[in-house]
Amino acid sequence: MDAVHPEADVAAAPPARETRGDASALRDKLHSNLLLATGKDPAHGKSRDWLYAVAGVAREALAARWVESRRIQRRWSSKRVCYLSMEFLLGRMLMENLRNLDLGRDCRAVLAAAGHDLDDIAEYEADAGLGNGGLGRLAACLMDSLTTQGIAARGYGIRYEYGMFAQHLDRGWQVEKPDHWLRHGNPWEFPRADIVHAVPFFGRVVEQAGPEGRQVRRWIDTQDVFAMAYDVPISGYGTKWVNAVRLWSPKAQREFDLASFNDGDHVRAVENRARSENLARVLYPDDSTEAGRELRFMQQYFFASASMQDVICQLLASGAPLDHLPDKAAIAINDTHPAIVVAELMRLLIDGHGFDWESAWDIVRRTVCYTNHTLMPEALETWPVRYFERMLPRHLEIIYGINARFLASVEPSQQARVSLVGESGERRIRMAHLAFVGSHRVNGVSAVHTGLLKSTVFADLHRLFPDKITNVTNGVTPRRWLAQANPPLATLVSARIGPDWQRRLERLGDIAGLAEDTAFRDQFRAIKQGNKARLAHYVARLSGQHLDTAALFDVHIKRIHEYKRQLLNVLHVVDLYNRLRRGESVMADSRCVIFGGKAAPGYAMAKLIVKLIHDVAATVNVDPAVKGRLQVVFLPNYGVSLAEKIIPAADLSQQISTAGTEASGTGNMKLALNGALTIGTLDGANIEIAEAVGRDNMFLFGLDVGQAAALRAGGYAPRSLYAGNGALREALDMIGDGYFSPDEPDRYRPILRGLLDGGDRYLVLADFDAYCAAQRRAEALFADRDAWARRAILNVAHMGGLSSDRAIADYAERVWHVTPVS
């Protein structure tokens, strides 16, 4: 059931109207919104109630701009970016929208006059549970930049009911709880009950007589799930243009079986609804079970199918023919999760709109583009052929058809390596290969990552299509990650160079000379100290732990994964702990090591690393021998809002992934933009950061990509490093023998087996000495606060080229071929 939705409501909409400038009118509007949203008067409204009153003011102004933007887009008939991503880590949106709508100052003043603090009210907004890590936050940054630059775009994703999970710690063990981010509603979403698409599953394919008597393939007897749209408008900075993210929520074809209910079978009465709605319960269902893997597979197709049906519906509603799709839409696949789009768009064009194969394939190839975000094998998804046979039989036929035509042009000796079907062991569909073959452009997200795509993951495909892969290095939005996350620093910068750096981040280069200005350095250091005090206050309120704000804040915040090498950090902490106890360390200042990040529910080793961090912290933090010298803290449930507290306070930014494993990273950019110095490997965008800020203003260490490959090829023997390095051996033995886990001495034996007998896949031991040496260089520099401040200022100044605005300009020109609407 495809709803026809030309969005005719836009044409009849009133002119855009915003509420600002008149304090009395704004106060009345807030009181009215409070009454409508909560049924309370101002005397009885609590902070959460006022959140929805303030959000209502912003929502009204935002909706007016959004309506006008859609009207303009239809008039100009511009090409639109359709950005498909499993994640949109939007974070809290109140302060961002108030700033972009120029309502923040007035709202703050009116609320203050009534005895309320806008910042306190904003803390009651839930982080939108629509993402997990860098992939989702990048999607949010790019949507911000698309809107700020006035490029027509629509994000497509899933409206997850419980997000990924809320991370709790039980005696140091990660425990996953539902993330009830929608418990109090989402003030920014617009339910669109008139926009619903039927997404088919299961069934069978038959041959039937079609138009003009020719035989056609038909997918019949399907079990359909309806996808209903929820739109979240995205405001831009310095513009009235508004885009939106359209999120799909599954609805059962038959929500309630009254007959079963009346028969007393109350569970069966709602069985269909529960089964359908499971598709959007959580982001990334645990794939350690067959049921979890099947749910992920269905989830990806559900969102891809609804999105492609929506794109086609939008185009037809505009009056344009479907063969104009490549001129009207750039369908951007954000990583491999939405790769089924290639087959789904073929199905819709051939089965739904009567295109022949060649014409449909030409449209698909000229419309779809694919951004790869990882070199990790588990993220280059492959799905068993049997899943397609049972759940998506028509797509399997189409993928076989694409593969057969593609392989016909490939030398027999290469066919097995480039085939869309993996024949080794259980037959599987290679989704990254499908995305590559079905796209007109493929991009990596940092220079080293793109080079590795060409030489490793897609080496054979690159030889066949040498012009298809390009690079677009990731970027971050300065509006969120400097102006909003660090207002004191943003104010200082604006006072010296003006505020337009928020739209032209390269203007930050103008503060480079101020690194030699004593007064500016003093102000910069005072701001950093204030940010550290704010974080310390938060930690004390959260856990009772009191951080030394004079210490070096050494920050490692990212998803917990072996390749991100939290283990390397822990080994250094243990070594530093040992040196301090023996009086061997000449460290002039104390150090506070701050961890944050979630482990995937089914990733046992990552969860064990979380527990290890906790156990090391529990020992270090109570040992009088290191009191006042070393602290370790793990902050649970890391997300956007917590990042906005940690990043401005960071002195040292840990970016220590094994060379050749991190595609880009954006946390490295956010931290450098806020004046943290990077300790890192030559991996991902660390290389571009080093080129921008200068290697002297970072602490680089360790093997590069070539050296890592050579070490592995030469027969890497981690046990020999263990035997020959006393400090490393001592740290590993303490972990393995139960020094930090006396209640269970063998708890961390699996970690040692992986490092010593499992080949140390991510070269933790190989980089240990170089990492410790880099840490000692950081300690020495931090002792000279003035020299540290100089380098921190230069980090901020030279981050202009790593803005998401620059990334969008690159995408627009070289990948999507779009221009601003006006």
Short mmCIF file of all heavy atoms in Angstrom, two decimals, residues 694-738:
data_model
loop_
_atom_site.label_atom_id
_atom_site.label_comp_id
_atom_site.label_asym_id
_atom_site.label_seq_id
_atom_site.Cartn_x
_atom_site.Cartn_y
_atom_site.Cartn_z
N GLY A 694 50.49 20.02 12.04
CA GLY A 694 51.93 19.82 12.19
C GLY A 694 52.26 18.71 13.16
O GLY A 694 51.67 18.63 14.24
N ARG A 695 53.18 17.86 12.77
CA ARG A 695 53.52 16.71 13.62
C ARG A 695 54.10 17.13 14.96
O ARG A 695 53.99 16.39 15.95
CB ARG A 695 54.50 15.79 12.89
CG ARG A 695 53.88 15.10 11.67
CD ARG A 695 54.77 13.99 11.16
NE ARG A 695 54.12 13.26 10.07
CZ ARG A 695 54.39 12.01 9.74
NH1 ARG A 695 55.32 11.34 10.40
NH2 ARG A 695 53.76 11.42 8.75
N ASP A 696 54.70 18.31 15.01
CA ASP A 696 55.26 18.78 16.27
C ASP A 696 54.18 19.10 17.29
O ASP A 696 54.47 19.22 18.49
CB ASP A 696 56.13 20.03 16.05
CG ASP A 696 57.42 19.71 15.33
OD1 ASP A 696 57.78 18.52 15.28
OD2 ASP A 696 58.06 20.64 14.82
N ASN A 697 52.95 19.23 16.82
CA ASN A 697 51.84 19.58 17.70
C ASN A 697 50.96 18.37 18.02
O ASN A 697 49.81 18.52 18.44
CB ASN A 697 51.00 20.70 17.07
CG ASN A 697 51.81 21.96 16.88
OD1 ASN A 697 52.52 22.39 17.79
ND2 ASN A 697 51.75 22.54 15.69
N MET A 698 51.50 17.18 17.81
CA MET A 698 50.86 15.92 18.16
C MET A 698 51.92 15.00 18.76
O MET A 698 53.11 15.33 18.76
CB MET A 698 50.25 15.25 16.92
CG MET A 698 49.21 16.05 16.20
SD MET A 698 48.70 15.29 14.63
CE MET A 698 47.89 13.79 15.21
N PHE A 699 51.48 13.85 19.23
CA PHE A 699 52.40 12.83 19.73
C PHE A 699 52.15 11.56 18.93
O PHE A 699 51.37 10.69 19.32
CB PHE A 699 52.18 12.60 21.23
CG PHE A 699 52.27 13.86 22.05
CD1 PHE A 699 51.11 14.51 22.46
CD2 PHE A 699 53.50 14.40 22.39
CE1 PHE A 699 51.18 15.67 23.21
CE2 PHE A 699 53.58 15.56 23.13
CZ PHE A 699 52.43 16.21 23.54
N LEU A 700 52.79 11.48 17.78
CA LEU A 700 52.61 10.33 16.90
C LEU A 700 53.55 9.21 17.32
O LEU A 700 54.66 9.45 17.80
CB LEU A 700 52.87 10.72 15.44
CG LEU A 700 51.86 11.71 14.84
CD1 LEU A 700 52.32 12.18 13.46
CD2 LEU A 700 50.48 11.08 14.75
N PHE A 701 53.11 7.98 17.12
CA PHE A 701 53.93 6.84 17.53
C PHE A 701 53.51 5.62 16.72
O PHE A 701 52.46 5.59 16.07
CB PHE A 701 53.73 6.54 19.02
CG PHE A 701 52.40 5.90 19.34
CD1 PHE A 701 52.27 4.51 19.38
CD2 PHE A 701 51.28 6.67 19.56
CE1 PHE A 701 51.04 3.92 19.66
CE2 PHE A 701 50.06 6.09 19.85
CZ PHE A 701 49.94 4.71 19.89
N GLY A 702 54.34 4.60 16.78
CA GLY A 702 53.94 3.27 16.35
C GLY A 702 54.13 2.97 14.87
O GLY A 702 54.57 3.79 14.07
N LEU A 703 53.76 1.74 14.54
CA LEU A 703 53.90 1.24 13.18
C LEU A 703 52.93 1.95 12.26
O LEU A 703 51.78 2.22 12.62
CB LEU A 703 53.61 -0.27 13.16
CG LEU A 703 54.46 -1.15 14.08
CD1 LEU A 703 53.88 -2.55 14.15
CD2 LEU A 703 55.91 -1.20 13.58
N ASP A 704 53.38 2.22 11.03
CA ASP A 704 52.44 2.71 10.02
C ASP A 704 51.87 1.51 9.27
O ASP A 704 52.18 0.34 9.60
CB ASP A 704 53.10 3.72 9.09
CG ASP A 704 54.26 3.15 8.26
OD1 ASP A 704 54.33 1.90 8.08
OD2 ASP A 704 55.11 3.93 7.79
N VAL A 705 51.04 1.76 8.27
CA VAL A 705 50.35 0.68 7.58
C VAL A 705 51.34 -0.30 6.95
O VAL A 705 51.22 -1.53 7.09
CB VAL A 705 49.40 1.25 6.51
CG1 VAL A 705 48.82 0.13 5.65
CG2 VAL A 705 48.27 2.03 7.17
N GLY A 706 52.34 0.23 6.28
CA GLY A 706 53.32 -0.63 5.62
C GLY A 706 54.13 -1.44 6.62
O GLY A 706 54.38 -2.64 6.41
N GLN A 707 54.55 -0.81 7.70
CA GLN A 707 55.33 -1.52 8.71
C GLN A 707 54.50 -2.60 9.40
O GLN A 707 55.01 -3.68 9.70
CB GLN A 707 55.86 -0.52 9.74
CG GLN A 707 56.91 0.44 9.19
CD GLN A 707 57.16 1.62 10.11
OE1 GLN A 707 56.31 1.99 10.93
NE2 GLN A 707 58.33 2.25 9.97
N ALA A 708 53.23 -2.31 9.65
CA ALA A 708 52.37 -3.31 10.27
C ALA A 708 52.21 -4.53 9.37
O ALA A 708 52.28 -5.68 9.81
CB ALA A 708 51.00 -2.70 10.59
N ALA A 709 52.01 -4.26 8.08
CA ALA A 709 51.87 -5.36 7.12
C ALA A 709 53.16 -6.17 7.04
O ALA A 709 53.13 -7.41 6.98
CB ALA A 709 51.48 -4.81 5.75
N ALA A 710 54.29 -5.49 7.02
CA ALA A 710 55.58 -6.18 6.94
C ALA A 710 55.82 -7.03 8.19
O ALA A 710 56.35 -8.15 8.10
CB ALA A 710 56.70 -5.17 6.75
N LEU A 711 55.47 -6.51 9.36
CA LEU A 711 55.66 -7.26 10.60
C LEU A 711 54.84 -8.55 10.56
O LEU A 711 55.35 -9.63 10.91
CB LEU A 711 55.24 -6.40 11.79
CG LEU A 711 55.35 -7.07 13.16
CD1 LEU A 711 56.80 -7.43 13.48
CD2 LEU A 711 54.78 -6.16 14.25
N ARG A 712 53.61 -8.45 10.13
CA ARG A 712 52.76 -9.65 10.07
C ARG A 712 53.31 -10.63 9.04
O ARG A 712 53.36 -11.84 9.29
CB ARG A 712 51.33 -9.26 9.71
CG ARG A 712 50.60 -8.48 10.82
CD ARG A 712 49.16 -8.22 10.41
NE ARG A 712 48.39 -7.53 11.42
CZ ARG A 712 47.99 -6.26 11.33
NH1 ARG A 712 48.30 -5.55 10.24
NH2 ARG A 712 47.28 -5.71 12.30
N ALA A 713 53.72 -10.10 7.89
CA ALA A 713 54.22 -10.99 6.83
C ALA A 713 55.52 -11.68 7.24
O ALA A 713 55.82 -12.79 6.79
CB ALA A 713 54.44 -10.18 5.55
N GLY A 714 56.28 -11.02 8.11
CA GLY A 714 57.57 -11.58 8.52
C GLY A 714 57.48 -12.56 9.66
O GLY A 714 58.52 -13.04 10.14
N GLY A 715 56.27 -12.86 10.11
CA GLY A 715 56.11 -13.83 11.19
C GLY A 715 56.16 -13.18 12.56
O GLY A 715 57.10 -13.42 13.35
N TYR A 716 55.20 -12.35 12.85
CA TYR A 716 55.12 -11.63 14.12
C TYR A 716 55.02 -12.62 15.28
O TYR A 716 54.18 -13.52 15.28
CB TYR A 716 53.92 -10.69 14.10
CG TYR A 716 53.64 -9.97 15.39
CD1 TYR A 716 54.65 -9.35 16.12
CD2 TYR A 716 52.32 -9.87 15.86
CE1 TYR A 716 54.37 -8.67 17.29
CE2 TYR A 716 52.03 -9.18 17.04
CZ TYR A 716 53.07 -8.59 17.75
OH TYR A 716 52.79 -7.91 18.91
N ALA A 717 55.89 -12.44 16.29
CA ALA A 717 55.94 -13.34 17.44
C ALA A 717 55.75 -12.54 18.72
O ALA A 717 56.73 -12.09 19.35
CB ALA A 717 57.26 -14.10 17.47
N PRO A 718 54.51 -12.32 19.15
CA PRO A 718 54.29 -11.49 20.34
C PRO A 718 54.93 -12.05 21.60
O PRO A 718 55.31 -11.29 22.49
CB PRO A 718 52.75 -11.43 20.44
CG PRO A 718 52.23 -12.54 19.59
CD PRO A 718 53.24 -12.76 18.53
N ARG A 719 55.09 -13.37 21.69
CA ARG A 719 55.69 -13.93 22.90
C ARG A 719 57.15 -13.49 23.07
O ARG A 719 57.64 -13.37 24.19
CB ARG A 719 55.59 -15.45 22.90
CG ARG A 719 54.29 -15.95 23.51
CD ARG A 719 54.39 -17.35 24.09
NE ARG A 719 53.18 -17.70 24.83
CZ ARG A 719 53.00 -17.47 26.11
NH1 ARG A 719 53.97 -16.88 26.83
NH2 ARG A 719 51.89 -17.83 26.73
N SER A 720 57.82 -13.24 21.96
CA SER A 720 59.21 -12.79 22.07
C SER A 720 59.26 -11.37 22.66
O SER A 720 60.19 -11.04 23.41
CB SER A 720 59.89 -12.82 20.71
OG SER A 720 59.29 -11.90 19.81
N LEU A 721 58.28 -10.54 22.33
CA LEU A 721 58.21 -9.22 22.93
C LEU A 721 57.93 -9.33 24.43
O LEU A 721 58.50 -8.60 25.24
CB LEU A 721 57.13 -8.38 22.25
CG LEU A 721 57.40 -7.94 20.81
CD1 LEU A 721 56.17 -7.27 20.22
CD2 LEU A 721 58.59 -6.98 20.76
N TYR A 722 57.03 -10.22 24.78
CA TYR A 722 56.69 -10.46 26.18
C TYR A 722 57.94 -10.90 26.95
O TYR A 722 58.22 -10.41 28.06
CB TYR A 722 55.60 -11.52 26.24
CG TYR A 722 55.33 -12.09 27.61
CD1 TYR A 722 54.53 -11.41 28.53
CD2 TYR A 722 55.85 -13.33 27.98
CE1 TYR A 722 54.26 -11.95 29.78
CE2 TYR A 722 55.58 -13.88 29.23
CZ TYR A 722 54.80 -13.18 30.13
OH TYR A 722 54.54 -13.72 31.37
N ALA A 723 58.71 -11.79 26.35
CA ALA A 723 59.89 -12.31 27.04
C ALA A 723 60.98 -11.26 27.18
O ALA A 723 61.73 -11.26 28.18
CB ALA A 723 60.42 -13.54 26.28
N GLY A 724 61.08 -10.36 26.21
CA GLY A 724 62.21 -9.44 26.19
C GLY A 724 61.93 -8.06 26.77
O GLY A 724 62.83 -7.21 26.79
N ASN A 725 60.71 -7.81 27.24
CA ASN A 725 60.36 -6.48 27.73
C ASN A 725 59.82 -6.61 29.15
O ASN A 725 58.68 -7.03 29.37
CB ASN A 725 59.32 -5.84 26.80
CG ASN A 725 59.02 -4.39 27.15
OD1 ASN A 725 58.94 -4.02 28.30
ND2 ASN A 725 58.83 -3.58 26.11
N GLY A 726 60.64 -6.24 30.11
CA GLY A 726 60.27 -6.46 31.51
C GLY A 726 59.03 -5.69 31.95
O GLY A 726 58.18 -6.21 32.67
N ALA A 727 58.92 -4.43 31.51
CA ALA A 727 57.77 -3.61 31.92
C ALA A 727 56.48 -4.18 31.34
O ALA A 727 55.45 -4.26 32.02
CB ALA A 727 57.97 -2.17 31.47
N LEU A 728 56.54 -4.58 30.07
CA LEU A 728 55.37 -5.17 29.42
C LEU A 728 55.00 -6.48 30.09
O LEU A 728 53.82 -6.74 30.37
CB LEU A 728 55.67 -5.38 27.94
CG LEU A 728 54.60 -6.10 27.12
CD1 LEU A 728 53.30 -5.32 27.10
CD2 LEU A 728 55.10 -6.32 25.68
N ARG A 729 56.00 -7.30 30.35
CA ARG A 729 55.74 -8.61 30.97
C ARG A 729 55.11 -8.44 32.35
O ARG A 729 54.16 -9.14 32.72
CB ARG A 729 57.03 -9.41 31.06
CG ARG A 729 56.83 -10.84 31.60
CD ARG A 729 58.10 -11.67 31.47
NE ARG A 729 59.21 -11.14 32.23
CZ ARG A 729 60.27 -10.51 31.70
NH1 ARG A 729 60.36 -10.34 30.38
NH2 ARG A 729 61.25 -10.04 32.46
N GLU A 730 55.63 -7.48 33.12
CA GLU A 730 55.08 -7.25 34.46
C GLU A 730 53.61 -6.83 34.38
O GLU A 730 52.77 -7.33 35.14
CB GLU A 730 55.89 -6.17 35.18
CG GLU A 730 55.38 -5.91 36.60
CD GLU A 730 56.15 -4.79 37.28
OE1 GLU A 730 56.76 -3.95 36.58
OE2 GLU A 730 56.10 -4.74 38.53
N ALA A 731 53.28 -5.93 33.47
CA ALA A 731 51.90 -5.46 33.34
C ALA A 731 50.98 -6.60 32.93
O ALA A 731 49.89 -6.78 33.49
CB ALA A 731 51.83 -4.32 32.33
N LEU A 732 51.42 -7.39 31.95
CA LEU A 732 50.59 -8.51 31.49
C LEU A 732 50.42 -9.56 32.58
O LEU A 732 49.32 -10.12 32.76
CB LEU A 732 51.21 -9.13 30.24
CG LEU A 732 51.09 -8.32 28.94
CD1 LEU A 732 51.96 -8.92 27.85
CD2 LEU A 732 49.64 -8.25 28.47
N ASP A 733 51.48 -9.84 33.29
CA ASP A 733 51.38 -10.85 34.35
C ASP A 733 50.44 -10.40 35.46
O ASP A 733 49.68 -11.20 36.02
CB ASP A 733 52.77 -11.14 34.93
CG ASP A 733 53.64 -11.97 34.00
OD1 ASP A 733 53.08 -12.52 33.02
OD2 ASP A 733 54.86 -12.07 34.25
N MET A 734 50.48 -9.13 35.81
CA MET A 734 49.57 -8.63 36.84
C MET A 734 48.11 -8.80 36.41
O MET A 734 47.25 -9.20 37.20
CB MET A 734 49.86 -7.16 37.14
CG MET A 734 51.17 -6.92 37.87
SD MET A 734 51.61 -5.16 37.98
CE MET A 734 50.36 -4.58 39.12
N ILE A 735 47.85 -8.52 35.13
CA ILE A 735 46.48 -8.68 34.62
C ILE A 735 46.10 -10.15 34.57
O ILE A 735 45.02 -10.55 35.01
CB ILE A 735 46.36 -8.03 33.23
CG1 ILE A 735 46.49 -6.50 33.34
CG2 ILE A 735 45.04 -8.40 32.56
CD1 ILE A 735 46.65 -5.78 32.01
N GLY A 736 47.00 -10.96 34.04
CA GLY A 736 46.69 -12.37 33.85
C GLY A 736 46.66 -13.19 35.11
O GLY A 736 45.93 -14.19 35.19
N ASP A 737 47.42 -12.77 36.13
CA ASP A 737 47.50 -13.56 37.36
C ASP A 737 46.52 -13.11 38.44
O ASP A 737 46.54 -13.63 39.56
CB ASP A 737 48.93 -13.50 37.92
CG ASP A 737 49.93 -14.21 37.02
OD1 ASP A 737 49.49 -15.00 36.17
OD2 ASP A 737 51.15 -13.95 37.15
N GLY A 738 45.70 -12.12 38.14
CA GLY A 738 44.64 -11.76 39.07
C GLY A 738 44.95 -10.65 40.03
O GLY A 738 44.23 -10.47 41.01
#
